[in-house]
Amino acid sequence: MLSVPALASTGWGNAFGNEVAKGLRDLRSGWRAVLAEMITFPVFYLLIVMFMGRGQLLGELLVPVMIGLAGLAFLHEQVNRVFWGYLGDLQSGVLEQTYLTPLPSAAVVLGRQIAAVLGALPVVGAILATGCTAVLAGGGEVPFAWSVLVPAAAIAVGTCGLALVLCGLTLVFKRIESITQASVALYAIAGGTLVPLAELPDWAAALSRALIPVAPGIEAAQAILLDGATLTDLGAGWGLGWILLQPLLLGALGVVVFHRLERVAKSRGTLGRY
Amino acid sequence: MSAITVTDLTKRYAPNGPAAVDGLSLTVEPGSIFGFLGPNGAGKTTTIKILTGLLSATSGTARIDGLDVARDRAGAMSRLGAVLEGSRNVYWTLSAWQNLVYFGRLKGLRRAAAGARAERLLTEIGLWDRRGEQVGTFSRGMQQQVAIAAALIADPAVLLLDEPTLGLDVAATRAVKDRLRALARDEGKTILLTTHQLDVVEELCDRVAVINRGRAVADLPTRELLAQSRSRDHYELRIDGDADLLLPDGFTAERGEDETVVSGRADDPETLYRLIDAIRAQGRRLHSVDQVRPSLETVFLTLVAEPAHA
């Protein structure tokens, strides 16, 4: 047996760091796919702006669409990275091995989430860089305020909650790829990414603000960057309180649902069955 | 203290469904290789999954080194390594080195300790020079060796191996067998092994448990199990030509062009003598009468053909 000093004293840090490191190794080994997405997403962005502007890259569309699409791309990348990571591990039978750990499983799950957040950043960065370049090339000015990091962080936390729900469902029900894809598509339509929430029917806007992880954050980011609003006086949506509360609720829902479904999977024996 | 203790373990996948494991109890002594046998669906993999904490039991307890898997999961997992059936067990997209360090840290080792242990294990299995290559590019035998090395990365006292030689060729099977023997004899590891390759069990295991329909039908030292079955005298008689005989209970005849082979169990010597008299009475020439040494395969087939003990 190995001696006690060889065992890490900080189980949380060890499990978390190990998962993040593996996620980054996966990202590096899949650099071709990342590069392809770093090209295609900005191209989609420019095409959307061009179509909405009847063939022109209008300055007044470049920034709002950039904010919306950056949020949507983040959600798409983060959720898909975690979801497909779980599904791949499940199909190959490696997932069960990752459960044979004495370390806190919550730290392992959190590590996977953070790795997926980091993995989503190159594509988001490519969209932002393209948008900024297009704005500057058109003689415009790129708006920025540090306070926009608050809704950005809220989007990240809420998206992790959604990813946890989907991964929990995967442990038990397996073939839910269509649900994952449909949910991301729904958020593209109703999440305020391309069409501002203010333009939606009141009931649809309310549902989006309540349930869609990126909706309040994108709405707030647009208000801050386009209208010069402050965090305490956003002028749109349900205010700062909801921007902070919604991701926490979604995150908590994700933890509860994932934990519950993990127990169901252990009872039914579906952790290693696909 | 036993290395593995299973007490009255029951698992039902549905509340009113049949029991996949039905009141199973067994113990495995430290430093031994324990063969856990049974036909498909007998409950072997379910038992192993409960021992690894991947599956919750309906009732009963499973202990590793005295630690209840359900109550002290972290303690039990730190003493356990496993290679599970029909799965990759390690990441094929990562190198052998990355896999071992990853699983070492997942087992709670510091990075330096995981690296040192990985170097030793990769050297032992002859893959140190190929440590940087993706596991997916390795042969099936090498992949299985990496999976076993990953299970051993934190130097666990107990190793659970579900079909470790499945799909391996003769040479790779030999390499795995040698490795397991060395792990038990030289390093004192306790190994619980399931396999359908009974020659592997006969060669390696100190003790064998056979389960059928979730219940243990035998749990004996391998030698005793074989000896016990040898006491049930099994004979094979070769007779000239195509013989048509009235056979005693428990005997069967296989008719060929030149000879007929009659085989079966004769608990009472008189049964055998009467059979020989009947052959002579027909004027048939008896080529040979042999007492057959039953293989573990014969014993296994006999045990699983009998109804499980109540």
Side-chain angles (χ1 to χ4, degrees):
Chain A
M1 295 283 285
L2 285 172
S3 60
V4 173
L7 298 169
S9 55
T10 55
W12 257 88
N14 206 37
F16 176 75
N18 196 31
E19 283 306 314
V20 173
K22 179 167 73 68
L24 294 179
R25 264 198 305 271
D26 286 344
L27 187 70
R28 200 167 55 234
S29 65
W31 67 269
R32 289 181 184 85
V34 175
L35 183 64
E37 287 180 327
M38 287 174 70
I39 294 167
T40 51
F41 271 84
V43 168
F44 286 147
Y45 161 62
L46 292 174
L47 285 174
I48 289 166
V49 174
M50 196 178 283
F51 291 159
M52 289 171 76
R54 293 173 178 265
Q56 291 181 37
L57 291 174
L58 297 177
E60 61 264 35
L61 288 174
L62 279 169
V63 176
V65 174
M66 177 182 74
I67 296 168
L69 206 64
L72 181 67
F74 178 80
L75 181 140
H76 175 272
E77 288 290 297
Q78 205 275 348
V79 167
N80 276 309
R81 281 186 183 281
V82 178
F83 172 76
W84 288 108
Y86 262 95
L87 199 62
D89 284 4
L90 214 137
Q91 285 174 327
S92 62
V94 186
L95 188 68
E96 289 184 313
Q97 283 292 344
T98 66
Y99 273 86
L100 306 185
T101 172
L103 303 181
S105 61
V108 176
V109 174
L110 184 66
R112 279 181 177 248
Q113 296 285 337
I114 298 303
V117 167
L118 296 174
L121 293 181
V123 174
V124 174
I127 292 170
L128 294 177
T130 305
C132 293
T133 305
V135 169
L136 293 172
E141 207 169 296
V142 178
F144 180 74
W146 285 107
S147 56
V148 81
L149 294 178
V150 173
I155 289 173
V157 175
T159 303
C160 285
L162 171 70
L164 276 175
V165 171
L166 291 168
C167 290
L169 290 170
T170 309
L171 294 181
V172 177
F173 301 109
K174 315 301 170 193
R175 293 186 174 272
I176 61 154
E177 298 98 319
S178 55
I179 294 175
T180 304
Q181 298 306 323
S183 67
V184 174
L186 175 70
Y187 303 154
I189 297 165
T193 54
L194 301 176
V195 181
L197 293 185
E199 304 288 326
L200 299 179
D202 287 347
W203 62 268
L207 277 176
S208 295
R209 288 187 187 108
L211 300 174
I212 297 180
V214 293
I218 288 174
E219 190 175 39
Q222 287 174 336
I224 291 167
L225 295 178
L226 299 174
D227 306 331
T230 61
L231 282 173
T232 51
D233 183 16
L234 286 166
W238 293 346
L240 178 63
W242 183 244
I243 290 171
L244 299 176
L245 185 61
Q246 192 236 32
L248 292 178
L249 290 175
L250 285 174
L253 176 73
V255 170
V256 170
V257 169
F258 184 85
H259 184 63
R260 177 74 195 140
L261 291 173
E262 197 179 46
R263 287 185 65 181
V264 172
K266 284 186 178 182
S267 171
R268 293 188 188 172
T270 55
L271 274 182
R273 200 188 307 150
Y274 183 72
Chain B
M1 183 173 55
S2 299
I4 301 171
T5 312
V6 170
T7 309
D8 205 16
L9 195 70
T10 296
K11 174 65 186 177
R12 292 179 198 278
Y13 286 99
N16 297 315
V21 175
D22 191 1
L24 182 71
S25 295
L26 54 90
T27 56
V28 181
E29 295 310 309
S32 66
I33 304 182
F34 187 90
F36 191 44
L37 309 181
N40 289 332
K44 305 183 297 294
T45 297
T46 297
T47 305
I48 285 195
K49 295 246 169 125
I50 293 171
L51 280 166
T52 52
L54 294 169
L55 193 61
S56 51
T58 305
S59 63
T61 56
R63 292 175 187 276
I64 301 291
D65 251 5
L67 300 172
D68 189 328
V69 174
R71 290 168 188 269
D72 187 359
R73 183 179 154 68
M77 288 309 106
S78 64
R79 289 159 170 78
L80 178 80
V83 176
L84 302 168
E85 179 225 352
S87 56
R88 293 182 181 177
N89 288 289
V90 292
Y91 287 101
W92 283 13
T93 52
L94 299 183
S95 69
W97 171 261
Q98 287 170 334
N99 264 296
L100 264 57
V101 172
Y102 168 76
F103 282 109
R105 295 196 71 201
L106 198 64
K107 282 287 188 184
L109 298 184
R110 292 184 189 281
R111 188 174 180 79
R117 181 85 180 140
E119 180 176 348
R120 185 184 153 188
L121 289 165
L122 286 171
T123 305
E124 281 176 4
I125 59 175
L127 287 175
W128 176 245
D129 291 339
R130 299 183 66 180
R131 63 189 178 280
E133 295 176 32
Q134 282 191 340
V135 174
T137 64
F138 288 172
S139 70
R140 178 82 185 89
M142 286 192 285
Q143 286 168 348
Q144 192 67 340
Q145 290 281 16
V146 174
I148 294 172
L152 288 165
I153 188 70
D155 200 13
V158 176
L159 198 56
L160 306 180
L161 303 171
D162 198 358
E163 302 276 5
T165 51
L166 185 71
L168 300 188
D169 63 21
V170 176
T173 300
R174 167 54 55 196
V176 169
K177 280 198 286 192
D178 291 345
R179 179 108 181 90
L180 298 184
R181 190 182 287 112
L183 283 169
R185 304 290 178 264
D186 304 339
E187 299 184 34
K189 305 285 182 209
T190 306
I191 299 174
L192 185 146
L193 170 77
T194 83
T195 180
H196 288 294
Q197 291 171 285
L198 299 181
D199 58 315
V200 173
V201 176
E202 201 166 346
E203 195 177 330
L204 289 181
C205 295
D206 304 296
R207 191 178 180 92
V208 176
V210 180
I211 66 167
N212 194 21
R213 298 189 189 99
R215 291 181 170 202
V217 292
D219 183 0
L220 290 166
T222 313
R223 281 181 193 170
E224 265 184 51
L225 185 66
L226 288 168
Q228 191 182 66
S229 299
R230 268 175 213 136
S231 69
R232 299 166 166 185
D233 291 331
H234 195 102
Y235 294 94
E236 190 174 271
L237 298 86
R238 293 181 177 274
I239 309 160
D240 189 33
D242 185 2
D244 185 18
L245 297 162
L246 185 62
L247 296 173
D249 285 347
F251 276 79
T252 56
E254 235 177 87
R255 294 184 176 84
E257 278 185 23
D258 300 327
E259 66 174 13
T260 299
V261 179
V262 175
S263 60
R265 221 169 67 194
D267 294 330
D268 174 8
E270 285 302 320
T271 307
L272 183 67
Y273 299 149
R274 280 198 296 274
L275 180 60
I276 292 171
D277 288 344
I279 292 166
R280 283 179 176 153
Q282 281 199 4
R284 295 283 173 186
R285 209 174 122 211
L286 191 59
H287 287 168
S288 63
V289 179
D290 294 307
Q291 189 173 16
V292 180
R293 176 188 179 277
S295 64
L296 189 57
E297 185 176 330
T298 312
V299 176
F300 173 78
L301 289 172
T302 308
L303 284 168
V304 298
E306 290 171 356
H309 300 323

